[in-house]
Amino acid sequence: MPSRSARVRAVAAGLALVATLAGCPDRSARPVADPAGPSVGPGAGTAAASFAPGAAGVGDPYFPSYGNGGYDVANYRLAVRYDPDSKRLSGTATITATATAALSRFNLDLVGLTVESATVDGAPATTARDGAELTVTPAAGLARGARFTARIRYSGIPRPVHSPQLGDNGFLSTADGAIALGEPESASTWFPVNDHPQDKATYDIEVTVPADLVALSNGVPGGTVAAGAGWTTWRWSERSPMASYLCTLVIGRYRIERSEHGGKPMVLAVPSNLPSNGPAARSLAATGTIVDYLTSQFGPYPFDSYGGIVVRDKRIRYALETQSRPVYGEVFFDRGVNEGVIAHELAHQWFGDSVSLSRWSDMWLNEGFATYAEWLWAEHTGERRVQESFDTQYARTLWSKPALDPGRADLFGMGVYQRGALVVHALRMTVGDEKFFAILRAWTTERRDGNGTTADFQALAERISGRQLDRFFADWLTGTAAPPIPG
Ligand code: ARG
Ligand code: ZN
């Protein structure tokens, strides 16, 4: 095991980078939609006169324009082709969804790129663009409850979204290919999407790249097929509902190691120009062992496949819990083997991926538990007791920074990560080990493939512990003074 401070420094470096960039608002500040568009759909004058446009955002308090209203996506079928020489991507997104309102039109999120054509249920649809909003108007209104299929053909040179607070997220072209990665957004930079964790969907992804490169994504590998001279198509499918920011695409020169773990496919990948016995490869090789340990703490692993990808690009100074296959910036392994970051991203498979946020202000539900998993893993390996991690962190916490609702600028701050982990351990100290682990398992079981809020978590903790925890959560999540240590 490496020193734990290596991980802390690497993360701090990443956060510092994010924190020191200051400037104007990013894409998330783009205007939210106009309710003033046509309120009547193509069926005006008939019984369909109540068809109305879907909202251009789900109304997340931090990112009001993210996602869209009026429908619920079940599946994205993406077929994209990327040419690293021209940096051009062309794609077809086939989106199967259900209308949750009678829709005259609906929006998708798409940053840059050119829409070439669109159909809804096979009939041509008209499209319009306004910033990161793509509006699709079908030939006929969509009845509430109707299942529909939108097919969008698009192309162009994808660009990341720059955010002074959150860094460069989304599609980056790299020395040997490309990496699509980012939180709280990234998907909209390479395909049209309902870009908010409230709308989770399954994915079938086909990526065509030059035959000397690999194309990695989420989920179960579906093999490769030749796609004309010098090109190969790679197939991946994520069968468990996935939040859009957890979808990744990594194209380049990688050494792929395929295996099985507990009867499910495992795919590990390291850049070809990193040594196979170096710290990155050795850290990644611990994936199976760490997953098994976390399973013993949190309950059954929620997905059909396992894996991990190390990426080598100086712009990626973070790791991300991309579903079933986290991506790790090489920076985490600069000072040697780092299993802490592997434990962190794998813990997110339960906390964040399988059970997802409903709004970004609840981020501690992701990061508090993932940081706590680092403490658990350090104790398991004999490096440091959880109680010691808690005591050290308690002493250095700035209580002015809340864990819950930290503000957009502090979405990845200490309040969310470190104080978030304190909340988790303080709950354990309050309710005892048996009830604590029962709460975690109930959370991951009852909300598997779904979403949850802080209020939902508190209600569950109260139900299982038989205690009223208003005061506990208020003190630990948002109180401005150090709460008394339970005991
Ligand atoms: N959720 C990631 C993690 O904790 C952090 C992502 C940071 N994102 C960023 N754009 N810097 O592992
Ligand atoms: Zn995390």
Side-chain angles (χ1 to χ4, degrees), residues 7 11 14-15 17-18 165-169 181-185 245-246 315 317-321 327 332 341 344-345 348 360 363 366-367 370-371 374 412 417:
R7 149 85 181 160
V11 169
L15 291 172
L17 177 82
V18 170
Q165 293 153 347
L166 307 172
D168 278 352
N169 282 314
L181 191 70
E183 184 183 12
E185 62 183 340
Y245 78 96
L246 298 172
R315 291 167 295 180
R317 304 189 59 82
Y318 61 92
L320 188 61
E321 60 269 24
V327 172
F332 283 96
V341 68
H344 181 111
E345 305 311 332
H348 276 306
W360 285 103
M363 186 70 139
N366 287 9
E367 302 305 343
T371 304
E374 293 180 59
F412 300 109
Y417 282 69

Side-chain angles (χ1 to χ4, degrees), residues 427-438:
L427 177 66
R428 181 173 172 180
M429 293 167 84
T430 300
V431 303
D433 279 12
E434 197 183 317
K435 296 219 158 110
F436 172 75
F437 285 104

Side-chain angles (χ1 to χ4, degrees), residues 438-459:
I439 292 166
L440 299 199
R441 281 157 180 272
W443 183 248
T444 59
T445 308
E446 291 173 15
R447 295 192 178 267
R448 181 172 177 167
D449 294 336
N451 297 79
T453 63
T454 298
D456 294 331
F457 184 75
Q458 180 178 335

